[in-house]
């Protein structure tokens, strides 16, 4: 996608026209946190509320029928985007809930087996069993597994990281072994940008009979993801990072697994039969969608999928890849900049974390903000990855389809200004002072 | 210009050469405060005298964070170290009011410049909600450390 096409794409996002901090054009480099929304997505949500609003899967009236149809059509569109069928796609509040849903299937199955109920043994964890994650997980794909391990007595293990920001795959066969019951790995790191070899890891997980979960929050919005090719059993992602609304997340799971999983959140519309003593539950995906669902958001997300498909996810991916290469080329040679994550534009996505010698990330973020450049600073909910690389906070620039090389140039200029402002400009990498 | 109003020279000076930085020993109380959104952290120790109105005999802070959090710990040291609590705690109150001046109905004109000293330089920081916590981090740690120290002395 050429620069002029990116600009055309950008025109469809009303928010990107606004100015910040006293009239400066907004340079939005925080799509890794959340993307902006195109007009068509906003219109789709509004149209749902204006014309079809009703609680789905309830009611005998025409609106209920239309709302249900809109919600289920949205499910089909979104499932199709990752090469899945609608019955395999569960809507949640966000990706964090999706991951918790899977972790709690293990916990609830384990509790049920302790009460003598028959459950699928693949979801039962006992002391001695192992859960495997990586050191680059977002807290959303770490803490649910920490909790699960603590509650069941299972052991949490993890892939370490190499100095150049990749997963250390050298002990794959030791790490994932006969004791492993579940492996949960981020597809593209939100902090490092690394794209992990999840297919290889899934293959090993399946060799030992473990289930494979993939946190795909940073991949589904940016690169083509086909669940069959990926080889995972579950993938979780959120709608708001892919030009869709906030308040909706997705969990794809293999049908035969979803079928044997106990529910996570219970209540209305996830049941089959209810008496005062006990209840039985609906088939997936409804079993995992208690309460009135977020129909307008589902409609908005389906519209976001259509919006992406119009340009083609391959074209978006190619554009972001080129932009990432352009940014890496500039940042790699800038004095006083250390990239935290892969410095090569290979198996990496459009999120670049870095620190600036002598200036804390928060202060860099402030100077960038003053220039209208919006980045994220901090540990990016990936504190263990920060610890691994000896930093408490990084600056992260993350791109989406609407970003251009001019945005990268603005970023670089703003970093230079920050270095000047804090009196560290011109320091060579070797001669830079330690800011801690 | 907004940036200069936030990063006043006096703040940058404190950041570059912080006062009260280091592990105080002996001490009466140690607290650890963290700003979970950005990872800034401070470990702060205090020592109080046994007077009826205890003196802040010592204050030491270590940690890592942005220029605002580091500078504000340094200014805290300057303003409260060696002061009796009857004077130190109202300074903490004044500083809290200053930090919320842009987002509440506190009138800056009513604040006591003498109590605040260099801390008045943080007025510009108050305009950025995301940075208020950076500025308050060590001051809130100090308040808790004093309470902990006093509780341990009465036990």
């Amino acid at each position: 996608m050429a620069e002029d096409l990116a600009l055309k794409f950008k025109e469809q996002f009303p928010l990107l026209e606004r100015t910040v901090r006293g009239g400066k054009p907004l340079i939005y480099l925080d799509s890794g946190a959340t993307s902006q929304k195109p007009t068509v997505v906003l219109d789709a949500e509004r149209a749902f509320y204006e014309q079809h609003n009703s609680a789905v899967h309830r009611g005998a009236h025409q609106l209920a029928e239309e709302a249900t149809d809109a919600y289920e059509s949205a499910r089909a569109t979104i499932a199709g985007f990752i090469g899945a069928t609608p019955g395999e796609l569960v809507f949640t509040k966000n990706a964090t809930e999706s991951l918790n849903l899977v972790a709690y299937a293990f916990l609830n199955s384990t509790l049920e087996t302790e009460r003598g109920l028959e459950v699928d043994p693949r979801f039962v964890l006992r002391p001695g069993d192992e859960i495997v994650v990586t050191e680059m997980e977002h807290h959303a794909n770490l803490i649910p597994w920490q909790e699960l391990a603590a509650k069941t007595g299972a052991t949490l293990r993890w892939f370490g990281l190499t100095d150049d920001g990749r997963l250390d795959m050298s002990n794959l066969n030791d790490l994932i072994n006969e004791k492993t019951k579940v492996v949960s790995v981020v597809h593209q790191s939100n902090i490092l940008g690394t794209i992990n070899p999840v297919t290889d890891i899934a293959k090993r997980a399946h060799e030992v009979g473990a289930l494979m979960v993939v946190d795909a929050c940073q991949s589904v919005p940016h690169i083509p993801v086909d669940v069959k090719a990926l080889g995972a059993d579950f993938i979780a992602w959120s709608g708001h990072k892919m030009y869709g609304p906030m308040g909706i997340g997705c969990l794809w799971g293999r049908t035969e697994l979803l079928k044997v999983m106990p529910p996570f959140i219970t209540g209305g519309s996830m049941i089959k039969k209810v008496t005062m003593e006990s209840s039985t539950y609906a088939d997936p995906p409804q079993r995992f969608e208690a309460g009135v669902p977020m129909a307008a958001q589902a409609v908005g997300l389906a519209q976001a999928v259509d919006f992406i498909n119009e340009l083609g996810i391959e074209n978006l991916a190619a554009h972001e890849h080129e932009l990432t290469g352009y940014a890496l080329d500039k940042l790699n040679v800038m004095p006083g900049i250390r990239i935290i994550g892969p410095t090569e534009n290979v198996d990496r996505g459009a999120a670049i974390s870095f620190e600036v010698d002598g200036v804390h990330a928060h202060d860099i973020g402030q100077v960038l903000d003053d220039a209208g450049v919006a980045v994220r600073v901090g540990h990016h909910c990936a504190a263990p990855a920060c610890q691994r690389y000896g930093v408490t906070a990084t600056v992260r620039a993350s791109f989406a389809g609407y970003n251009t090389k001019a945005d990268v140039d603005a970023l670089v200029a703003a970093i230079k200004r920050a270095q000047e402002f804090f009196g560290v400009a011109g320091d060579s990498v070797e001669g830079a002072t330690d800011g801690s | 210009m907004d940036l200069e109003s936030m990063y006043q020279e006096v703040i940058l000076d404190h950041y570059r050469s912080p006062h009260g930085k280091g592990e105080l020993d002996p001490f009466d109380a140690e607290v650890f405060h963290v700003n979970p959104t950005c990872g800034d952290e401070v470990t702060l120790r205090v020592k109080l005298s046994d007077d009826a109105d205890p003196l802040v005999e010592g204050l030491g802070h270590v940690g890592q964070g942005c220029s605002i959090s580091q500078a504000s710990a340094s200014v805290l040291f300057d303003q409260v170290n060696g002061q009796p609590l009857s004077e130190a705690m109202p300074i903490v109150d004044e500083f809290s009011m200053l930090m919320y001046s842009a987002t509440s109905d506190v009138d800056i004109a009513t604040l006591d410049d003498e109590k605040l000293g260099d801390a008045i330089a943080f007025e510009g920081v108050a305009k950025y909600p995301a940075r208020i916590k950076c500025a308050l981090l060590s001051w809130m740690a100090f308040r808790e450390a004093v309470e902990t120290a006093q509780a341990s002395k009465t036990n």
Side-chain angles (χ1 to χ4, degrees), chain A residues 190-204:
Chain A
N190 74 308
I191 178 167
L192 306 173
T194 319
I195 295 177
N196 289 317
V198 285
T199 306
D200 297 341
I201 300 171
K203 199 177 281 176
R204 174 62 187 161

Side-chain angles (χ1 to χ4, degrees), chain A residues 182-404:
Chain A
V182 57
V183 180
S184 194
V185 172
V186 67
H187 194 183
Q188 184 198 304
S189 162
N190 74 308
I191 178 167
L192 306 173
T194 319
I195 295 177
N196 289 317
V198 285
T199 306
D200 297 341
I201 300 171
K203 199 177 281 176
R204 174 62 187 161
H206 290 151
E207 264 173 28
V208 299
L211 295 175
M212 179 75 189
V213 185
V214 173
D215 168 2
C217 282
Q218 302 286 342
S219 56
V220 168
H222 299 286
I223 55 175
V225 171
D226 181 287
V227 286
K228 286 179 198 79
L230 207 63
D233 297 303
F234 298 98
I235 76 169
W237 79 100
S238 53
H240 70 95
K241 294 189 205 292
M242 56 183 288
Y243 314 118
M246 291 184 171
I248 183 165
C250 297
L251 175 71
W252 169 84
R254 287 202 290 118
T255 303
E256 62 106 3
L257 293 171
L258 291 175
K259 266 189 184 160
V260 299
M261 285 160 62
F264 164 41
I265 295 169
T266 56
S269 75
M270 51 74 70
I271 49 85
K272 207 173 260 175
K273 184 171 163 54
V274 177
T275 66
M276 284 311 293
E277 289 78 25
S278 63
S279 308
T280 56
Y281 303 122
D283 291 333
Q286 276 73 32
R287 186 188 301 164
F288 306 105
E289 296 179 359
V292 174
M294 62 305 272
Q297 284 78 0
V299 168
L301 181 54
Q303 184 61 58
V305 165
D306 288 341
F307 174 75
I308 292 171
N309 283 340
E310 213 168 286
L311 191 67
I313 185 77
E314 298 83 3
N315 293 325
L316 274 176
H319 169 66
E320 291 178 26
H321 182 73
E322 193 185 330
L323 210 51
T324 305
Y326 182 75
L328 285 173
D329 285 348
K330 295 233 164 188
L331 293 173
N332 276 331
V333 297
M334 258 185 103
I337 303 289
R338 178 165 80 113
I339 291 177
I340 312 292
T343 52
E344 275 185 331
N345 198 15
V346 176
D347 290 332
R348 74 142 25 253
I352 304 176
S353 269
F354 58 90
E355 61 169 356
V356 179
D357 285 328
V359 193
H360 191 274
H362 235 180
D363 294 318
I364 295 288
Q366 196 77 48
V367 180
L368 264 52
D369 173 62
D370 192 65
V373 178
V375 293
R376 183 161 170 193
V377 299
H379 53 51
H380 314 287
C381 298
C386 286
Q387 290 152 17
R388 165 63 179 82
Y389 294 108
V391 293
T392 50
T394 76
V395 184
R396 181 189 70 184
S398 52
F399 310 123
Y402 38 65
N403 290 119
T404 61

Side-chain angles (χ1 to χ4, degrees), chain B residues 8-21:
Chain B
Q8 293 188 27
E9 205 48 51
V10 59
I11 292 181
L12 294 176
D13 286 346
H14 275 280
Y15 171 51
R16 291 182 189 119
S17 336
H19 306 160
K21 186 135 185 153

